[in-house]
Amino acid sequence: RKMRVGWFHQHQIEAMDPTDTPLEIIRRAMPDSTESSRRSKLAQFGLGYEKQETTVDSLSGGERARLLLNMVAMDAPHVLILDEPTNHLDIDSRRALLDALNQYNGAVILITHDRSLMELVADRLWLAADGTVKPYDGDMDDYAKFVLDRAKQASVRPTQVKDETAVASGGGGNKNKKNNKKSGPSPSTLRHAVKKAEERMAALTAEIARIDDDLANAAVNNPKALEGLTRARGKTQADLDTAEQAWVSAEEALAEVS
Protein backbone atom coordinates (compact mmCIF):
# COMPACT_ATOMS: atom_id res chain seq x y z
CA ARG A 1 0.00 0.00 0.00
CA LYS A 2 2.95 2.30 0.51
CA MET A 3 4.57 1.51 -2.83
CA ARG A 4 5.06 4.54 -5.09
CA VAL A 5 4.72 4.02 -8.84
CA GLY A 6 6.00 6.47 -11.45
CA TRP A 7 4.35 6.33 -14.89
CA PHE A 8 5.57 7.92 -18.12
CA HIS A 9 3.94 7.34 -21.50
CA GLN A 10 4.95 8.69 -24.88
CA HIS A 11 1.75 10.69 -25.42
CA GLN A 12 2.25 12.81 -22.30
CA ILE A 13 4.48 15.12 -24.32
CA GLU A 14 1.74 15.91 -26.84
CA ALA A 15 -0.79 16.34 -23.98
CA MET A 16 1.18 19.11 -22.23
CA ASP A 17 -0.43 22.56 -22.07
CA PRO A 18 1.49 24.59 -24.69
CA THR A 19 1.11 27.79 -22.62
CA ASP A 20 2.55 26.21 -19.46
CA THR A 21 6.16 26.80 -18.41
CA PRO A 22 8.63 24.50 -16.63
CA LEU A 23 8.66 26.90 -13.68
CA GLU A 24 4.86 26.77 -13.32
CA ILE A 25 4.94 22.97 -13.57
CA ILE A 26 7.58 22.65 -10.85
CA ARG A 27 5.72 25.13 -8.65
CA ARG A 28 2.70 22.84 -8.66
CA ALA A 29 4.91 19.84 -7.89
CA MET A 30 6.85 21.63 -5.12
CA PRO A 31 4.28 24.00 -3.54
CA ASP A 32 6.14 24.31 -0.23
CA SER A 33 9.62 24.87 -1.66
CA THR A 34 11.40 28.16 -2.23
CA GLU A 35 11.69 29.66 -5.69
CA SER A 36 15.45 29.10 -5.68
CA SER A 37 14.94 25.41 -4.81
CA ARG A 38 12.51 25.03 -7.72
CA ARG A 39 14.88 26.72 -10.17
CA SER A 40 17.75 24.60 -8.89
CA LYS A 41 15.68 21.46 -9.47
CA LEU A 42 14.91 22.52 -13.05
CA ALA A 43 18.60 23.18 -13.63
CA GLN A 44 19.29 19.61 -12.49
CA PHE A 45 16.77 18.50 -15.13
CA GLY A 46 18.93 20.19 -17.78
CA LEU A 47 16.69 23.26 -18.10
CA GLY A 48 18.80 26.37 -17.55
CA TYR A 49 17.52 29.71 -16.27
CA GLU A 50 16.67 30.95 -19.77
CA LYS A 51 14.44 27.90 -20.42
CA GLN A 52 12.57 27.85 -17.10
CA GLU A 53 10.03 30.53 -18.05
CA THR A 54 9.79 29.49 -21.69
CA THR A 55 6.41 28.11 -22.74
CA VAL A 56 6.16 24.39 -23.38
CA ASP A 57 5.26 25.17 -26.98
CA SER A 58 8.72 26.70 -27.44
CA LEU A 59 10.62 23.78 -25.89
CA SER A 60 12.06 21.04 -28.08
CA GLY A 61 10.67 17.52 -27.90
CA GLY A 62 13.79 16.41 -26.05
CA GLU A 63 13.47 19.21 -23.47
CA ARG A 64 9.83 18.32 -22.83
CA ALA A 65 10.67 14.62 -22.50
CA ARG A 66 13.51 15.37 -20.06
CA LEU A 67 11.19 17.56 -17.98
CA LEU A 68 8.46 14.89 -17.78
CA LEU A 69 10.85 12.01 -17.10
CA ASN A 70 12.47 13.91 -14.26
CA MET A 71 9.08 14.89 -12.85
CA VAL A 72 8.10 11.21 -12.81
CA ALA A 73 11.32 10.24 -11.00
CA MET A 74 11.36 13.21 -8.61
CA ASP A 75 9.46 11.42 -5.83
CA ALA A 76 11.79 8.39 -6.00
CA PRO A 77 9.11 5.84 -6.93
CA HIS A 78 9.75 2.19 -6.14
CA VAL A 79 8.58 1.17 -9.61
CA LEU A 80 8.99 3.11 -12.87
CA ILE A 81 6.76 2.25 -15.85
CA LEU A 82 8.21 3.84 -18.99
CA ASP A 83 6.45 3.68 -22.36
CA GLU A 84 8.81 4.59 -25.24
CA PRO A 85 10.90 6.95 -23.07
CA THR A 86 13.51 7.65 -25.78
CA ASN A 87 11.02 9.18 -28.22
CA HIS A 88 12.03 12.83 -28.90
CA LEU A 89 15.32 12.45 -27.01
CA ASP A 90 18.63 13.50 -28.59
CA ILE A 91 21.66 11.24 -28.29
CA ASP A 92 23.01 12.92 -25.14
CA SER A 93 19.64 12.63 -23.40
CA ARG A 94 19.35 8.97 -24.44
CA ARG A 95 22.72 8.20 -22.88
CA ALA A 96 21.80 10.09 -19.71
CA LEU A 97 18.57 8.09 -19.48
CA LEU A 98 20.46 4.83 -20.03
CA ASP A 99 22.90 5.67 -17.22
CA ALA A 100 20.08 6.75 -14.90
CA LEU A 101 18.12 3.53 -15.45
CA ASN A 102 21.18 1.37 -14.82
CA GLN A 103 21.89 3.25 -11.57
CA TYR A 104 18.25 3.23 -10.43
CA ASN A 105 17.67 1.19 -7.27
CA GLY A 106 13.98 0.48 -7.89
CA ALA A 107 12.27 -1.71 -10.47
CA VAL A 108 11.76 -0.52 -14.05
CA ILE A 109 9.18 -1.80 -16.53
CA LEU A 110 10.30 -0.58 -19.95
CA ILE A 111 8.19 -0.70 -23.12
CA THR A 112 10.31 0.27 -26.11
CA HIS A 113 11.22 -0.40 -29.74
CA ASP A 114 14.76 0.84 -29.03
CA ARG A 115 16.80 -2.36 -29.34
CA SER A 116 20.05 -0.80 -28.10
CA LEU A 117 18.30 0.52 -24.99
CA MET A 118 16.85 -2.93 -24.27
CA GLU A 119 20.19 -4.65 -24.68
CA LEU A 120 22.00 -2.17 -22.42
CA VAL A 121 19.36 -1.89 -19.68
CA ALA A 122 17.01 -4.87 -19.46
CA ASP A 123 17.90 -7.98 -17.47
CA ARG A 124 14.57 -9.72 -18.18
CA LEU A 125 12.49 -9.79 -21.36
CA TRP A 126 8.72 -10.29 -21.61
CA LEU A 127 6.92 -11.13 -24.83
CA ALA A 128 3.62 -9.38 -25.57
CA ALA A 129 1.85 -11.48 -28.21
CA ASP A 130 -1.53 -13.09 -28.92
CA GLY A 131 -3.24 -11.20 -26.10
CA THR A 132 -0.79 -12.37 -23.44
CA VAL A 133 2.41 -11.20 -21.74
CA LYS A 134 4.85 -13.96 -20.81
CA PRO A 135 8.52 -14.24 -19.78
CA TYR A 136 10.80 -14.60 -22.82
CA ASP A 137 13.89 -16.79 -22.39
CA GLY A 138 15.74 -15.76 -25.54
CA ASP A 139 17.81 -12.68 -26.36
CA MET A 140 17.14 -9.94 -28.93
CA ASP A 141 18.56 -12.04 -31.79
CA ASP A 142 16.15 -14.83 -30.86
CA TYR A 143 13.31 -12.32 -30.81
CA ALA A 144 14.23 -10.97 -34.28
CA LYS A 145 14.08 -14.54 -35.63
CA PHE A 146 10.76 -15.08 -33.85
CA VAL A 147 9.26 -12.00 -35.53
CA LEU A 148 10.48 -13.05 -38.98
CA ASP A 149 9.14 -16.59 -38.53
CA ARG A 150 5.74 -15.24 -37.50
CA ALA A 151 5.66 -12.95 -40.54
CA LYS A 152 6.51 -15.90 -42.78
CA GLN A 153 3.71 -17.99 -41.25
CA ALA A 154 1.23 -15.12 -41.54
CA SER A 155 2.00 -14.77 -45.25
CA VAL A 156 0.21 -18.10 -45.88
CA ARG A 157 -3.36 -17.09 -45.16
CA PRO A 158 -5.95 -19.89 -44.70
CA THR A 159 -8.62 -17.75 -46.37
CA GLN A 160 -6.59 -17.74 -49.59
CA VAL A 161 -6.44 -21.52 -49.64
CA LYS A 162 -10.18 -21.72 -49.05
CA ASP A 163 -10.99 -19.20 -51.79
CA GLU A 164 -8.75 -20.89 -54.34
CA THR A 165 -10.34 -24.29 -53.56
CA ALA A 166 -13.80 -22.83 -54.04
CA VAL A 167 -12.84 -21.38 -57.41
CA ALA A 168 -11.17 -24.58 -58.58
CA SER A 169 -14.20 -26.69 -57.63
CA GLY A 170 -16.71 -24.42 -59.32
CA GLY A 171 -18.43 -25.03 -62.67
CA GLY A 172 -16.75 -24.47 -66.00
CA GLY A 173 -14.13 -27.23 -66.00
CA ASN A 174 -10.73 -26.58 -67.54
CA LYS A 175 -11.79 -23.30 -69.12
CA ASN A 176 -12.50 -21.67 -65.74
CA LYS A 177 -9.25 -23.07 -64.29
CA LYS A 178 -7.33 -21.53 -67.15
CA ASN A 179 -9.10 -18.18 -66.84
CA ASN A 180 -8.61 -18.10 -63.07
CA LYS A 181 -4.88 -18.74 -63.26
CA LYS A 182 -3.10 -15.59 -62.09
CA SER A 183 -0.43 -13.99 -64.22
CA GLY A 184 2.67 -12.60 -62.56
CA PRO A 185 6.21 -13.49 -61.53
CA SER A 186 7.16 -17.16 -61.52
CA PRO A 187 7.81 -18.98 -58.22
CA SER A 188 11.56 -19.06 -58.96
CA THR A 189 11.58 -15.28 -59.46
CA LEU A 190 9.71 -14.76 -56.21
CA ARG A 191 12.01 -17.12 -54.30
CA HIS A 192 14.95 -15.10 -55.60
CA ALA A 193 13.24 -11.89 -54.40
CA VAL A 194 12.72 -13.42 -50.94
CA LYS A 195 16.39 -14.43 -50.76
CA LYS A 196 17.59 -10.98 -51.86
CA ALA A 197 15.34 -9.30 -49.29
CA GLU A 198 16.66 -11.58 -46.54
CA GLU A 199 20.26 -10.79 -47.53
CA ARG A 200 19.45 -7.08 -47.57
CA MET A 201 17.87 -7.29 -44.10
CA ALA A 202 20.88 -9.14 -42.71
CA ALA A 203 23.29 -6.56 -44.15
CA LEU A 204 21.28 -3.62 -42.81
CA THR A 205 20.94 -5.22 -39.36
CA ALA A 206 24.73 -5.65 -39.25
CA GLU A 207 25.18 -2.03 -40.36
CA ILE A 208 22.91 -0.79 -37.56
CA ALA A 209 24.92 -2.80 -35.04
CA ARG A 210 28.13 -1.22 -36.39
CA ILE A 211 26.65 2.29 -36.18
CA ASP A 212 25.49 1.63 -32.61
CA ASP A 213 29.06 0.68 -31.69
CA ASP A 214 30.36 3.85 -33.36
CA LEU A 215 27.74 5.92 -31.52
CA ALA A 216 28.84 4.51 -28.18
CA ASN A 217 32.48 5.29 -28.95
CA ALA A 218 31.75 8.73 -30.40
CA ALA A 219 29.82 9.74 -27.29
CA VAL A 220 33.09 9.33 -25.39
CA ASN A 221 35.82 10.13 -27.92
CA ASN A 222 34.32 12.31 -30.64
CA PRO A 223 31.10 14.14 -29.74
CA LYS A 224 31.15 16.02 -33.07
CA ALA A 225 30.58 12.76 -34.93
CA LEU A 226 27.34 12.04 -33.08
CA GLU A 227 25.08 14.08 -35.36
CA GLY A 228 26.23 12.36 -38.54
CA LEU A 229 26.06 8.92 -36.97
CA THR A 230 22.56 9.60 -35.65
CA ARG A 231 21.39 10.60 -39.14
CA ALA A 232 23.05 7.52 -40.63
CA ARG A 233 21.33 5.25 -38.13
CA GLY A 234 17.93 6.78 -38.87
CA LYS A 235 18.39 6.28 -42.62
CA THR A 236 19.63 2.71 -42.17
CA GLN A 237 16.67 1.88 -39.93
CA ALA A 238 14.30 3.29 -42.56
CA ASP A 239 16.03 1.14 -45.22
CA LEU A 240 15.64 -1.90 -42.97
CA ASP A 241 11.92 -1.21 -42.52
CA THR A 242 11.58 -1.01 -46.33
CA ALA A 243 13.52 -4.26 -46.79
CA GLU A 244 11.32 -6.03 -44.24
CA GLN A 245 8.20 -4.88 -46.09
CA ALA A 246 9.67 -6.09 -49.39
CA TRP A 247 10.43 -9.46 -47.79
CA VAL A 248 6.88 -9.83 -46.45
CA SER A 249 5.39 -8.85 -49.83
CA ALA A 250 7.60 -11.36 -51.67
CA GLU A 251 6.68 -14.12 -49.19
CA GLU A 252 2.98 -13.37 -49.62
CA ALA A 253 3.27 -13.40 -53.41
CA LEU A 254 5.21 -16.68 -53.31
CA ALA A 255 2.56 -18.25 -51.07
CA GLU A 256 -0.14 -17.31 -53.60
CA VAL A 257 1.56 -19.02 -56.53
CA SER A 258 3.03 -22.02 -54.69
Side-chain angles (χ1 to χ4, degrees):
R1 287 176 294 178
K2 294 182 179 180
M3 185 175 70
R4 296 186 301 275
V5 178
W7 164 245
F8 172 87
H9 63 82
Q10 56 183 312
H11 302 299
Q12 279 177 285
I13 294 174
E14 288 77 12
M16 295 177 74
D17 184 345
T19 63
D20 222 344
T21 69
L23 189 56
E24 291 169 346
I25 292 171
I26 203 75
R27 279 173 183 157
R28 294 194 293 270
M30 302 172 61
D32 300 324
S33 300
T34 64
E35 195 74 351
S36 61
S37 296
R38 295 167 184 148
R39 288 185 178 274
S40 175
K41 182 66 72 174
L42 288 173
Q44 293 172 22
F45 294 174
L47 295 171
Y49 190 89
E50 71 284 357
K51 293 284 187 179
Q52 294 177 6
E53 295 188 64
T54 301
T55 61
V56 165
D57 192 45
S58 299
L59 296 176
S60 69
E63 288 167 337
R64 280 180 259 177
R66 284 205 305 274
L67 173 60
L68 287 176
L69 283 166
N70 278 284
M71 294 293 293
V72 168
M74 194 168 64
D75 293 330
H78 302 100
V79 178
L80 280 174
I81 303 175
L82 305 178
D83 176 23
E84 299 291 356
T86 55
N87 281 8
H88 308 290
L89 293 184
D90 56 31
I91 189 68
D92 290 335
S93 298
R94 283 162 52 91
R95 290 193 64 83
L97 174 65
L98 188 155
D99 292 339
L101 291 177
N102 281 325
Q103 295 168 11
Y104 187 64
N105 290 325
V108 179
I109 299 174
L110 181 66
I111 302 98
T112 181
H113 288 88
D114 189 330
R115 176 168 178 168
S116 63
L117 182 67
M118 281 187 273
E119 292 176 334
L120 293 170
V121 171
D123 54 14
R124 280 183 288 176
L125 298 177
W126 293 71
L127 177 65
D130 304 321
T132 66
V133 179
K134 299 178 180 178
Y136 188 70
D137 293 331
D139 58 17
M140 290 308 301
D141 290 332
D142 295 326
Y143 175 69
K145 183 178 183 301
F146 167 80
V147 171
L148 291 174
D149 288 344
R150 279 176 65 95
K152 186 178 293 187
Q153 292 170 8
S155 67
V156 183
R157 296 189 291 270
T159 53
Q160 286 183 330
V161 176
K162 182 178 180 181
D163 291 343
E164 289 168 2
T165 302
V167 170
S169 61
N174 292 333
K175 182 179 179 180
N176 275 353
K177 289 182 182 179
K178 184 177 180 180
N179 290 341
N180 283 318
K181 185 177 180 180
K182 295 181 180 179
S183 61
S186 66
S188 61
T189 299
L190 291 171
R191 279 192 288 271
H192 179 71
V194 169
K195 182 180 178 182
K196 293 295 289 184
E198 289 174 344
E199 291 172 350
R200 174 72 170 157
M201 288 161 57
L204 290 168
T205 300
E207 177 66 9
I208 287 176
R210 184 193 65 77
I211 293 174
D212 285 342
D213 288 341
D214 289 344
L215 280 168
N217 293 328
V220 177
N221 302 319
N222 187 10
K224 290 184 179 179
L226 287 174
E227 184 177 352
L229 286 169
T230 302
R231 285 198 301 268
R233 194 190 193 285
K235 181 180 183 305
T236 307
Q237 182 62 57
D239 291 342
L240 178 58
D241 293 341
T242 301
E244 287 179 347
Q245 185 57 52
W247 176 82
V248 171
S249 298
E251 281 281 3
E252 289 179 347
L254 180 60
E256 290 182 2
V257 300
S258 298

